[in-house]
Amino acid sequence: MSLDRMDSSSDSPSTSFSNRDWFFPSQSFPNSSHHIPRTPIRRFSSPYPKRAATPSFQSFPASPPPPPSTPSISNSSPPPPPPPPANYYAKYAGVRRGSAYLSRQLPNQKSTSQNDGGGIGGQGIKSKSDDAVSEFREDSKTTTEPAGKRLTGLFGGRLIVRWQTAFTAAVLVTAFSSLVHKNFALHNEVIRLQDQIFKLNHRLLVCSLLDSIDDIDSTTHDINHLSNKSLKNIAVVASLALLSIPFLFLKYVDYVSNSRRLSDILTEEVSLNKQLAYRVDAFLSVHPYAKPLALLVATVLLICLGGLALFGVTDDSLADSLWLSWTYVADSGNHANSEGIGPRLVSVSISFGGMLVFAMMLGLVSDAISEKFDSLRKGRSEVVGQNHTLILGWSDKLGSLLNQLAIANESLGGGMVVVMAERDKEEMELDIAKMEFDFRGTSVLCRSGSPLILADLKKVSVSKARAIVVLAEDGNADQSDARALRTVLSLTGVKEGLRGHIVVELSDLDNEVLVKLVGGDLVETVVAHDVIGRLMIQCARQPGLAQIWEDILGFENCEFYIKRWPQLDGMPFEEVLICFPDAIPCGVKAASYGGKIILNPDDSYVLQAGDEVLVIAEDDDTYAPAALPTVKEAPFIPITRPARKPQKILLCGWRRDIDDMIVVLDAFLAPDSELWMLNEVPEKEREKKLIDGGLDSSRLVNITLVNREGNAVVRRHLESLPLESFDSILILADESVEDSAIQADSRSLATLLLIRDILAKRLPYREAMVSQVHRSSFSQGSWIGEMQQASDKSVIISEILDPRTKNLLSMSKISDYVLSNELVSMALAMVAEDRQINDVLEELFAEEGNEMQIRGAELYLREGEELSFYEVLLRARQRREIVIGYRVANTERAVINPPAKNEKRKWSVNDVFVVIAEKE
């Protein structure tokens, strides 16, 4: 339906406004100052007829156009419009009424141009802008209408025009968007279909190619099958040939060897099998990893041959066959899944070879592990450590040496001692475990090796040791010293150098010069026989001195220490003597004399910068200088010592250094003394040996030699001697049995018992009763009691090597003994801890200089006098002596470095003092 028809369907002008649904504009609009908001869609209506709407934009049913009518100028009302259709939208009612109202108010005259375009059938269509201009012009020409009606018609027309324009624009935009979207969708669909077509064409091409390839493959497969079958046959033949090569080679070698055996006898040529065996043995011996390498090669060959055989009897590829062969070698149970005679035969063969390979591998691994444990058990592993004490060699002195080193390291919380000897490690550890003493936190490691081999020395970290002790071997003295000399040469040849010093135990004093020449400043020597000989001589002259030396040399009580004290610089030695509450100064290491140790210096000696003080103290951290105490100076007691009397001494046994002992005795004894020697060496040979040792008997000044040939363990030989007339009897470990400590001690003990028994029978009983002192629990009538009584009339010094013998003699108290092994071990340990102490010991043992002596108390005090130890010390300084201890009457042991030195006590003239004094 056209808009003209819609406009003509509006109500008649006679209809009142009250019967309308609504009108626009309202009556108050012209006079209203408020702006009424526009609706979303406004259309301008026009009284002119419009072109009928298209079906796509209007849903009204089409009706035939009315017949054309002649325009009439009369004012008669137009015919009534036809009724609206049923689907007429009610929302357009207001617009229709408004436009009809305006059309009735306009004049009926129209221009000629309007009449030409006004019909429905075949008439032209005006634009909306022309309708609006015409409407505006008609409205402006109508002057007879009221002003309110003209304004209402104007604004109503504009609203209709705007509404129609917006609706049309929206419809056009929607249609355009829909077309664009449809265009893009179609374009994408075309692209997708093209892709599908391309893929289908590609598949078609591939299918055609595959059909042609299948034809080719079928032909190639037949050819490959024939060639693969031939390859598998070749693989089987090759594997059998390779397996037969070793057997053929061995047969050939055996044949060649047998054929040449006769010619070898004539030409003395080595057979081929022996040459091969030698080369294999040399290869296994030279190369340490030859056995694992041979096992690896055998395993690889087994896998390759097995894989080649499996490739020939199965349908698997060569790679799969090799992998399957490895599984058979690694696990012999994998062949159970094989099917067929050929695969089963090959798999069983490979599994059997795999069992042999793994058996050999387990044997090699077991041998390697056992060898490593044996190496650890036998002490072949390397010592990783430093600042340890290294002991090279094994002897009976080792137990006492380890005990002294353990005591010395106790203040440091323990240390480490490494022992290397040419013995089995387990045996050394077992022997050390039998030594019943406490190691006090010190760990002892044993290693098996030779000190003459640099590799073994590096194994015990010789370059990092703080001290190296070379023990003398038991046996021949010359051989022992020669071995010690070679050991020193090996030590000086260490490329890394030595951090510590070397302490060498020698058996013969004549070899000391040679060892020092080789070792230089690194070497400190301790001649065991010389030390023991000198100690025996001192103890023979002064009974009881052996116990003093045990206390001084051992680390259990008091020993020598050297330390620098800067606060004592400028102090005279007389004041230094009493400024240590817990130590006794004995000497000074003078820096101005090149570090020489001066024992018992003058009181006027003033300590200089760099000087060190030599003291006797319990430990190196137990003493320090303190403020000078107040000591009352004791008056000097003028006592003249009696002149030395000639002595008569008996030497039982023969030692290789007896010539040195004779020289020392000649220096110590008074003139007109006699030295009797009882041994099994003939007198003529005896004189020759003394001359070879450098002793000329004609040059002896104070003693006269008296030779007696005999055996010291034979009673009649001893009874032929005036035993009761000797002042001292020295029982030596005879040279004939010096290789065995037990035999030497047995011989010395037998000689000691025989001499005591002979003396007990020769001494008058009443004299023995007078000299009897209180003994432990032994009865007077027992043999030990008689020997104890006899020992009070003479001094018997026996050289004992075994500590077990020492315990027996200590219990019986029948001898003032000297335990050589223990004292030498103490001296070695002390020098190992501080090499400067060796100079002190050498002076104390020498024929000249200062020595350890035992003095009677009557030289320093009167009976019952109360004096402090410091006062006794100052009185002894008047005689140029240093008192280091005392022994109270009727007591067995002396007190060295006594405490509470400033406290007074009552003394007796029967007491004795231990002093360091110059030799008389």
Side-chain angles (χ1 to χ4, degrees):
M1 180 182 292
S2 65
L3 293 175
D4 294 337
R5 299 289 298 271
M6 290 176 61
D7 293 339
S8 64
S9 65
S10 61
D11 294 341
S12 63
S14 61
T15 306
S16 64
F17 291 105
S18 61
N19 295 330
R20 300 176 183 173
D21 294 334
W22 58 276
F23 65 95
F24 181 83
S26 63
Q27 296 181 359
S28 61
F29 178 79
N31 300 323
S32 175
S33 61
H34 300 285
H35 176 72
I36 299 175
R38 298 179 180 179
T39 57
I41 302 176
R42 295 183 181 180
R43 293 185 180 181
F44 292 96
S45 61
S46 175
Y48 304 102
K50 306 291 184 180
R51 183 184 294 267
T54 61
S56 61
F57 294 99
Q58 196 69 265
S59 61
F60 301 132
S63 58
S69 59
T70 304
S72 178
I73 310 175
S74 63
N75 295 330
S76 63
S77 60
N87 58 353
Y88 179 74
Y89 289 101
K91 65 180 181 178
Y92 300 107
V95 178
R96 187 183 67 252
R97 294 190 188 101
S99 60
Y101 172 76
L102 291 176
S103 63
R104 286 193 298 268
Q105 299 300 325
L106 294 174
N108 293 328
Q109 291 85 5
K110 298 180 181 177
S111 61
T112 305
S113 61
Q114 291 174 343
N115 292 333
D116 294 336
I120 299 175
Q123 296 181 356
I125 301 175
K126 296 182 179 181
S127 64
K128 293 181 181 181
S129 60
D130 293 338
D131 293 342
V133 173
S134 300
E135 182 180 356
F136 179 74
R137 288 178 179 177
E138 292 295 332
D139 185 61
S140 61
K141 291 180 181 180
T142 309
T143 57
T144 59
E145 294 291 333
K149 291 182 179 181
R150 291 197 301 268
L151 292 173
T152 302
L154 178 62
F155 285 102
R158 291 182 178 179
L159 178 62
I160 292 172
V161 172
R162 290 183 179 179
W163 186 85
Q164 290 177 350
T165 303
F167 181 76
T168 302
V171 171
L172 293 176
V173 170
T174 304
F176 180 76
S177 300
S178 177
L179 290 175
V180 172
H181 180 268
K182 189 67 174 177
N183 185 19
F184 280 106
L186 291 175
H187 180 70
N188 294 333
E189 186 67 19
V190 169
I191 294 174
R192 187 180 63 83
L193 292 175
Q194 289 178 352
D195 293 339
Q196 291 181 356
I197 292 171
F198 176 77
K199 292 179 180 179
L200 291 176
N201 291 332
H202 180 69
R203 290 182 180 178
L204 182 60
L205 180 61
V206 171
C207 290
S208 61
L209 292 176
L210 289 177
D211 291 338
S212 61
I213 291 173
D214 289 339
D215 296 338
I216 298 173
D217 288 342
S218 62
T219 305
T220 307
H221 179 71
D222 296 337
I223 298 173
N224 291 337
H225 178 71
L226 295 176
S227 61
N228 191 18
K229 186 175 181 180
S230 62
L231 288 175
K232 290 182 179 294
N233 293 332
I234 294 173
V236 173
V237 173
S239 61
L240 293 176
L242 291 175
L243 284 175
S244 61
I245 286 177
F247 298 99
L248 295 177
F249 180 75
L250 293 177
K251 287 293 183 180
Y252 173 76
V253 171
D254 189 28
Y255 172 76
V256 173
S257 300
N258 293 331
S259 63
R260 293 183 179 180
R261 183 173 299 174
L262 181 59
S263 61
D264 291 343
I265 297 175
L266 299 176
T267 61
E268 297 182 356
E269 293 182 0
V270 181
S271 61
L272 182 59
N273 56 357
K274 291 183 178 180
Q275 292 181 5
L276 291 177
Y278 168 74
R279 293 183 182 276
V280 172
D281 182 58
F283 176 77
L284 295 177
S285 301
V286 172
H287 302 281
Y289 299 102
K291 293 181 180 179
L293 182 61
L295 181 62
L296 178 62
V297 172
T299 304
V300 173
L301 290 177
L302 178 61
I303 293 173
C304 293
L305 291 177
L308 192 62
L310 288 175
F311 176 71
V313 298
T314 61
D315 296 333
D316 296 333
S317 62
L318 181 60
D320 295 338
S321 299
L322 290 174
W323 175 255
L324 190 62
S325 176
W326 158 247
T327 58
Y328 291 160
V329 172
D331 188 359
S332 59
N334 286 336
H335 70 278
N337 297 327
S338 301
E339 296 180 357
I341 297 177
R344 287 180 179 178
L345 182 60
V346 174
S347 61
V348 168
S349 301
I350 297 174
S351 300
F352 182 74
M355 288 187 290
L356 293 179
V357 168
F358 272 86
M360 289 187 293
M361 184 185 68
L362 290 177
L364 289 178
V365 173
S366 178
D367 291 341
I369 295 175
S370 300
E371 184 179 355
K372 185 62 178 178
F373 276 100
D374 290 341
S375 176
L376 296 176
R377 179 176 57 85
K378 294 180 180 180
R380 298 174 183 171
S381 60
E382 184 177 355
V383 175
V384 181
Q386 56 184 358
N387 293 330
H388 57 280
T389 302
L390 177 61
I391 301 176
L392 301 177
W394 187 278
S395 68
D396 295 334
K397 308 178 186 65
L398 181 64
S400 302
L401 178 60
L402 291 176
N403 186 24
Q404 295 300 319
L405 292 176
I407 297 173
N409 294 328
E410 183 180 8
S411 60
L412 302 176
M416 183 170 65
V417 179
V418 181
V419 180
M420 187 178 74
E422 297 182 30
R423 298 184 60 191
D424 188 71
K425 177 176 178 290
E426 293 183 344
E427 295 180 1
M428 292 189 288
E429 291 177 347
L430 183 61
D431 291 342
I432 293 175
K434 293 179 181 179
M435 302 174 184
E436 298 179 356
F437 58 84
D438 186 10
F439 286 101
R440 307 172 190 264
T442 297
S443 58
V444 180
L445 302 180
C446 296
R447 292 293 181 268
S448 179
S450 174
L452 305 179
I453 302 175
L454 291 178
D456 292 343
L457 292 176
K458 292 181 180 179
K459 183 173 60 178
V460 292
S461 299
V462 64
S463 60
K464 299 179 181 179
R466 64 185 181 94
I468 304 171
V469 181
V470 180
L471 294 179
E473 293 184 348
D474 297 332
N476 187 271
D478 292 333
Q479 295 180 0
S480 176
D481 292 348
R483 186 175 181 82
L485 179 62
R486 293 197 301 268
T487 302
V488 174
L489 284 174
S490 299
L491 292 174
T492 55
V494 177
K495 296 181 180 180
E496 295 80 4
L498 300 179
R499 178 183 302 180
H501 59 282
I502 306 173
V503 182
V504 183
E505 179 195 2
L506 297 176
S507 300
D508 196 338
L509 185 62
D510 297 335
N511 300 324
E512 182 181 15
V513 179
L514 184 58
V515 173
K516 287 187 175 181
L517 180 63
V518 172
D521 296 336
L522 290 175
V523 175
E524 296 290 338
T525 59
V526 176
V527 184
H529 280 203
D530 183 64
V531 171
I532 297 304
R534 294 175 184 273
L535 283 176
M536 292 182 68
I537 293 172
Q538 291 186 9
C539 293
R541 293 172 52 240
Q542 304 182 57
L545 199 59
Q547 180 260 320
I548 306 299
W549 274 112
E550 286 184 0
D551 293 343
I552 295 296
L553 293 178
F555 286 96
E556 293 181 354
N557 298 304
C558 295
E559 53 273 357
F560 291 106
Y561 293 101
I562 301 176
K563 189 180 293 187
R564 163 84 176 138
W565 301 100
Q567 60 268 37
L568 301 181
D569 293 346
M571 182 180 294
F573 185 75
E574 184 180 10
E575 297 180 0
V576 174
L577 281 172
I578 59 176
C579 70
F580 287 93
D582 300 316
I584 298 177
C586 302
V588 176
K589 182 180 178 181
S592 58
Y593 291 91
K596 180 182 178 181
I597 297 178
I598 304 176
L599 278 175
N600 190 17
D602 295 334
D603 292 340
S604 60
Y605 180 84
V606 179
L607 269 67
Q608 305 295 328
D611 288 353
E612 300 180 22
V613 181
L614 171 68
V615 301
I616 294 178
E618 184 177 359
D619 209 339
D620 58 349
D621 57 351
T622 59
Y623 71 98
L628 290 176
T630 303
V631 180
K632 181 180 179 181
E633 186 175 357
F636 176 74
I637 301 178
I639 298 178
T640 303
R641 296 189 61 184
R644 293 187 301 168
K645 296 181 179 181
Q647 294 184 3
K648 193 175 182 179
I649 298 177
L650 172 64
L651 290 180
C652 295
W654 182 270
R655 285 171 46 132
R656 59 181 300 106
D657 60 341
I658 197 170
D659 53 332
D660 297 325
M661 295 183 64
I662 295 174
V663 173
V664 175
L665 286 172
D666 184 65
F668 283 156
L669 297 179
D672 299 330
S673 298
E674 293 182 0
L675 178 60
W676 290 54
M677 295 188 298
L678 175 65
N679 50 71
E680 296 179 324
V681 180
E683 295 186 10
K684 294 182 180 181
E685 185 178 353
R686 189 181 307 175
E687 188 70 22
K688 182 180 179 181
K689 287 186 176 181
L690 292 178
I691 294 175
D692 293 340
L695 176 63
D696 187 1
S697 58
S698 61
R699 295 184 179 182
L700 297 177
V701 178
N702 297 324
I703 61 174
T704 302
L705 297 180
V706 179
N707 294 313
R708 289 290 185 271
E709 184 178 349
N711 192 346
V713 296
V714 177
R715 186 180 182 92
R716 67 176 182 274
H717 293 170
L718 293 174
E719 289 179 345
S720 63
L721 301 176
L723 298 178
E724 66 278 1
S725 63
F726 293 108
D727 298 298
S728 299
I729 301 175
L730 304 182
I731 302 175
L732 307 178
D734 199 88
E735 184 181 15
S736 59
V737 292
E738 67 179 358
D739 295 344
S740 175
I742 297 178
Q743 293 183 10
D745 290 347
S746 300
R747 185 181 180 90
S748 300
L749 183 58
T751 302
L752 173 64
L753 295 177
L754 288 175
I755 292 174
R756 285 301 184 192
D757 183 62
I758 294 172
L759 290 176
K761 297 186 179 312
R762 290 182 180 180
L763 288 176
Y765 179 76
R766 60 180 181 273
E767 187 176 353
M769 289 295 296
V770 172
S771 61
Q772 180 181 4
V773 294
H774 178 71
R775 301 289 179 177
S776 54
S777 59
F778 297 110
S779 62
Q780 180 178 343
S782 64
W783 65 275
I784 294 182
E786 294 178 356
M787 291 183 181
Q788 289 174 349
Q789 296 171 8
S791 64
D792 295 334
K793 298 300 296 181
S794 60
V795 178
I796 302 177
I797 309 297
S798 58
E799 181 182 3
I800 302 299
L801 305 180
D802 196 338
R804 292 171 292 184
T805 310
K806 168 196 171 183
N807 297 332
L808 178 61
L809 294 178
S810 299
M811 180 186 65
S812 61
K813 300 179 182 179
I814 57 176
S815 173
D816 190 1
Y817 64 92
V818 172
L819 182 61
S820 62
N821 278 358
E822 189 169 2
L823 288 176
V824 172
S825 300
M826 291 177 179
L828 289 173
M830 183 169 291
V831 177
E833 291 296 318
D834 190 354
R835 63 180 304 180
Q836 302 175 102
I837 304 300
N838 196 28
D839 297 334
V840 179
L841 298 181
E842 287 181 354
E843 182 174 350
L844 293 177
F845 293 153
E847 299 87 354
E848 298 178 356
N850 293 273
E851 65 175 351
M852 203 90 66
Q853 298 182 8
I854 297 178
R855 303 288 196 194
E858 68 275 3
L859 297 177
Y860 312 104
L861 49 84
R862 297 181 178 86
E863 179 68 29
E865 188 176 5
E866 293 186 0
L867 296 173
S868 65
F869 184 80
Y870 277 146
E871 293 174 348
V872 176
L873 183 62
L874 293 180
R875 285 189 178 182
R877 288 304 298 168
Q878 297 175 5
R879 297 179 176 273
R880 187 71 184 280
E881 298 173 350
I882 299 177
V883 181
I884 62 174
Y886 60 87
R887 185 181 68 184
V888 180
N890 299 327
T891 59
E892 296 182 357
R893 303 190 66 86
V895 179
I896 305 299
N897 184 27
K901 297 179 178 61
N902 206 21
E903 293 182 3
K904 293 187 177 183
R905 56 163 298 171
K906 186 177 292 187
W907 302 92
S908 173
V909 292
N910 295 325
D911 300 335
V912 295
F913 290 97
V914 182
V915 300
I916 296 178
E918 292 184 353
K919 295 180 176 65
E920 299 176 355

